[in-house]
Amino acid sequence: MNSRIAIPGLSRVGFQGEPGAYSEEAALRLLGESVATVPRATFQAAFRAIPDGAADAILVPVENSLAGSVVRVYDLLLESNLSIIAEYILSIEHHLIGCPGARRDEIRSVASHPVALAQCERFFEANSLLRRIPAEDTAGSVREVLARGDTSCAAIAGRRAAARYGGVILESGIQDNRENFTRFVLLVPEPGPLAGADKMTIAMRLAHRPGALAASLEPFARNGVNLLKIESRPIHGRPWEYQFFLEVESEAPQKLQTAVTELRRCALDVRVLGLYQAARGESPSSAA
Amino acid sequence: MNSRIAIPGLSRVGFQGEPGAYSEEAALRLLGESVATVPRATFQAAFRAIPDGAADAILVPVENSLAGSVVRVYDLLLESNLSIIAEYILSIEHHLIGCPGARRDEIRSVASHPVALAQCERFFEANSLLRRIPAEDTAGSVREVLARGDTSCAAIAGRRAAARYGGVILESGIQDNRENFTRFVLLVPEPGPLAGADKMTIAMRLAHRPGALAASLEPFARNGVNLLKIESRPIHGRPWEYQFFLEVESEAPQKLQTAVTELRRCALDVRVLGLYQAARGESPSSAA
C-alpha cells in the first residue's frame, strides 16, 4: 500500500510533463488533491523549479518495471542537493483517448510518446491499419488531439489526461503487459527526520580493481541489510568508468546507518540520496 | 581500438532501425562494408531475423554512455538462445541534415527520435525558433525530410543517414556532450571458441536475502576478475524482484571460467551470455 504523506510547508510540487501526465497523477495521489502541481517541460527544468522558488518539492520517476531506470533523473539527482523523502508506485494503464463523439472504428491515427506506443505493440498488431504518430509527451498528445477536434485521431495516455482535456476513453488498458509500474520519488532540499523510514538510496564510486564492489557490499550483508537494487552508470566525461546506485532496506533504520558508516571506509564519494519509507504491496489494485 | 572481425559464414547481419541507422553503421565498421545489412522495425523483429533465416547474426545496442542500458535488448537476449561474440563501441555524432539546396537559416522544423532531440538540448536553446518534431527513428526522419523535399525541414541523425538518403549536413556535431558512445554487441546462435576472449557477460538471479549479492561477487574477487558493470533488472511478472547482469573481464580467460563455476554454487539461473574480446580505447578518435 502506498501511504499518502503530509509534509509541513509542502504546498507546490513540480513534475516533468504536461498537465495530466502520469507524474502529476502520482503527485496528487501521494500528496493529496489539494497540492498545487507545477508542470515543467524537461527533467532539468523540473529540478530547477525548487531553486527558482516555483516549487517546494518535485516528484520524478526513477524506474519503470518494463523500461528500466530513468537514468537522466539519477544523473540530475546526483548533481543536485535534493534528497528523497518518499516514494510512490503508480500502476501505469494506457488508454486510447479521443474526442467527444468519436467512434472507436473511425480512428485512423494514434499519437503518443514512443515508449507508450512501444508498450502497446499488441494493440497495434491487432489494429494494423492505425497510423502511429510519435509525440514528445503522452498527456500533450491528448491535448493536441482534443485541440484539433479531429474524430479520426486518438492518443494514448492515462485516465487523468483524458479528464484534464475533456477526452473520452475509447478503449481502456491497451498496454501489452498489465504489470506496468512506475516508481516515483519525492525530492526536497532539506529533509527532516522521518518516522518509519526503512529504505535508503545511496550513490558511490569505487576504485577500479577486482573485489572493490564485493567489499563494498559486505557492510550491508554483515548488518543484515537487504540490497533491493543495484545499478552501475557510466560517469560523464569518463566513458566506461562507473558510478553505483544502491537501494537497501532494513526494518531497523540504525542498521542502515551502521552499514553506511562502514561503507565509507571502503568506497569513494559515498552519498546518501535519501532515507524514506518504502512503498508496499506493488500490485495494480493496491497502487490505485 | 575496435578491431574488425571476420567470422566464417557470417554474410548477413540484422539490426533494428532503418537503413542509415547508427546500428547499421556499427555493423559495417565491425564486419566490413561487404556484409549485407538486414533492417528490422523493432528489436523483437531483429531478434527474429536469425530463426527466420534472414540473417546469420544481429548487432544490437546494449548501452549508451549518456542514456544508460538498452533494457529491452537485455530482456530479449535472455529470452533468446543467442550468444555475444563481439562488441563494438561507436562514437555517436548527431548532425543537422537537410535537403540539397537547403540553407541553414531557412530551417524552421527539426525531426528526430526524442532521445536524439534530448541530446541536442543546447542546440535547441541556441535556436529557440526551431520546432522539434518527434519521430520513431533518426535515419527514418532523414528519409522523410528528403522524400518531402521541403527545404525548411531538417532532421537529426548520423552521417551515414545523410549519405544514404542524399541529404546534406547543415551543421555537424550538434549533440550537447561530445562523449556520447553506444556499445553494440554481435549475437549469433552457435559461437565457436574465440581467440583473445577476455570479457564475459553473465545473467543470474539471486535469492532475496541479505548478503546474497555480496556472496555472488566473491568468486570474481577471489579470482582477481574485474567487475566492469552490474545492473539489476525487474523480472517481468514479478515486480521488484531482480535479475542481475554482470560484465567481467580478466586477462586470463581461465579465471573467468573458474569464477563462473564457483558462482553457480551460490546463485540461481546463472547463464553466460557471451565470452568475447573487449573493445579497447573508447575515445571518439579511436572509435572512428
Side-chain angles (χ1 to χ4, degrees):
Chain A
M1 189 184 67
N2 283 293
S3 320
R4 182 165 297 179
I5 60 167
I7 295 160
L10 200 170
S11 62
R12 300 164 306 161
V13 60
F15 68 96
Q16 185 276 321
E18 303 216 16
Y22 288 108
S23 292
E24 186 182 53
E25 182 161 351
L28 294 168
R29 289 195 187 189
L30 176 65
L31 298 167
E33 293 278 339
S34 64
V35 76
T37 53
V38 180
R40 286 293 181 263
T42 65
F43 283 125
Q44 190 155 21
F47 272 78
R48 273 201 302 254
I50 297 179
D52 287 354
D56 310 307
I58 60 173
L59 191 85
V60 285
V62 286
E63 182 180 17
N64 174 269
S65 57
L66 300 178
S69 294
V70 185
V71 296
R72 179 80 179 125
V73 166
Y74 277 103
D75 290 344
L76 287 166
L77 179 50
L78 209 56
E79 288 166 19
S80 80
N81 59 356
L82 302 177
S83 295
I84 304 169
I85 55 161
E87 67 175 356
Y88 190 88
I89 295 170
L90 183 72
S91 173
I92 301 292
E93 255 203 293
H94 293 312
H95 306 297
L96 185 72
I97 299 167
C99 299
R103 292 198 328 272
R104 170 69 186 79
D105 60 4
E106 68 178 328
I107 299 300
R108 293 292 169 265
S109 70
V110 179
S112 198
H113 190 279
V115 170
L117 294 173
Q119 289 183 345
C120 302
E121 244 170 50
R122 259 178 253 146
F123 168 82
F124 284 105
E125 276 171 19
N127 298 277
S128 57
L129 295 178
L130 291 179
R131 203 156 68 91
R132 298 154 55 119
I133 314 272
E136 288 204 75
D137 194 86
T138 53
S141 66
V142 175
R143 182 179 43 70
E144 283 182 22
V145 163
L146 271 288
R148 265 204 314 277
D150 181 343
T151 55
S152 75
C153 299
I156 294 175
R159 192 172 294 276
R160 183 169 293 268
R164 176 70 177 69
Y165 299 107
V168 293
I169 293 179
L170 299 171
E171 193 170 335
S172 67
I174 62 169
Q175 72 275 11
D176 296 337
N177 199 315
R178 277 198 303 161
E179 278 164 339
N180 186 351
F181 304 96
T182 298
R183 196 161 63 87
F184 294 86
V185 291
L186 184 68
L187 305 176
V188 296
E190 288 175 10
L194 277 174
D198 54 4
K199 187 170 175 183
M200 193 182 256
T201 299
I202 300 164
M204 65 176 183
R205 290 187 190 192
L206 291 176
H208 199 60
R209 58 175 172 72
L213 183 59
S216 76
L217 298 181
E218 271 161 30
F220 301 104
R222 207 156 43 224
N223 288 283
V225 168
N226 208 354
L227 183 73
L228 299 173
K229 187 172 186 317
I230 183 166
E231 180 154 341
S232 58
R233 287 266 308 127
I235 296 176
H236 283 200
R238 305 191 211 166
W240 321 114
E241 273 188 52
Y242 289 89
Q243 171 84 46
F244 290 85
F245 292 94
L246 310 178
E247 281 174 9
V248 295
E249 190 178 39
S250 171
E251 285 168 20
Q254 184 51 43
K255 290 186 177 176
L256 295 172
Q257 301 290 4
T258 306
V260 168
T261 303
E262 293 174 22
L263 174 66
R264 291 188 199 277
R265 287 181 208 132
C266 60
L268 314 169
D269 295 331
V270 175
R271 187 167 147 206
V272 175
L273 296 174
L275 175 63
Y276 50 99
Q277 188 169 15
R280 309 275 170 210
E282 303 82 0
S283 73
S285 52
S286 66
Chain B
M1 190 185 63
N2 283 293
S3 320
R4 183 165 296 179
I5 60 166
I7 295 160
L10 199 170
S11 62
R12 300 164 306 161
V13 60
F15 68 97
Q16 184 274 324
E18 304 216 17
Y22 288 110
S23 292
E24 186 182 53
E25 182 161 353
L28 294 168
R29 288 194 188 192
L30 175 65
L31 299 166
E33 293 279 339
S34 64
V35 76
T37 53
V38 180
R40 287 291 182 264
T42 64
F43 283 125
Q44 190 154 20
F47 271 79
R48 273 201 303 252
I50 297 179
D52 287 354
D56 310 307
I58 59 172
L59 191 85
V60 285
V62 286
E63 182 180 16
N64 173 268
S65 57
L66 300 179
S69 294
V70 185
V71 296
R72 178 81 179 126
V73 166
Y74 277 103
D75 290 343
L76 287 165
L77 179 51
L78 209 55
E79 288 166 20
S80 80
N81 60 356
L82 302 177
S83 295
I84 303 169
I85 56 161
E87 67 175 356
Y88 189 89
I89 295 170
L90 183 73
S91 173
I92 301 292
E93 256 202 294
H94 293 313
H95 306 297
L96 184 73
I97 299 167
C99 298
R103 291 196 330 271
R104 171 70 185 80
D105 59 5
E106 69 179 326
I107 299 301
R108 294 290 169 265
S109 70
V110 179
S112 198
H113 190 279
V115 169
L117 294 174
Q119 290 184 345
C120 302
E121 244 172 49
R122 258 178 253 147
F123 168 82
F124 284 105
E125 276 171 20
N127 299 277
S128 57
L129 295 178
L130 291 179
R131 203 157 68 91
R132 297 153 55 120
I133 314 272
E136 288 204 77
D137 193 86
T138 54
S141 65
V142 175
R143 182 179 44 70
E144 282 182 21
V145 162
L146 271 289
R148 265 204 315 276
D150 182 343
T151 55
S152 76
C153 299
I156 293 174
R159 192 171 294 276
R160 183 169 293 268
R164 175 71 176 71
Y165 297 108
V168 293
I169 293 180
L170 300 171
E171 194 171 334
S172 67
I174 62 170
Q175 73 275 11
D176 296 338
N177 199 316
R178 278 197 303 160
E179 278 163 340
N180 186 350
F181 303 96
T182 298
R183 195 160 64 86
F184 294 86
V185 291
L186 184 68
L187 305 177
V188 296
E190 286 174 10
L194 278 172
D198 54 3
K199 187 169 175 182
M200 193 181 255
T201 300
I202 299 163
M204 65 176 184
R205 289 187 191 194
L206 292 176
H208 199 60
R209 57 174 172 74
L213 183 59
S216 77
L217 298 181
E218 270 160 30
F220 300 104
R222 207 157 42 224
N223 287 284
V225 168
N226 208 352
L227 183 74
L228 299 173
K229 186 171 185 318
I230 183 165
E231 181 154 340
S232 58
R233 287 267 307 125
I235 296 175
H236 283 201
R238 305 191 212 166
W240 321 115
E241 274 189 52
Y242 290 89
Q243 171 84 46
F244 290 86
F245 292 94
L246 311 178
E247 282 173 10
V248 295
E249 190 179 38
S250 170
E251 286 169 19
Q254 184 51 45
K255 290 187 176 176
L256 295 173
Q257 300 290 5
T258 306
V260 168
T261 303
E262 293 175 22
L263 174 67
R264 289 186 199 280
R265 287 182 209 131
C266 59
L268 314 169
D269 294 331
V270 174
R271 186 168 148 206
V272 174
L273 296 175
L275 174 63
Y276 51 99
Q277 187 169 16
R280 308 277 171 208
E282 302 83 0
S283 73
S285 51
S286 67

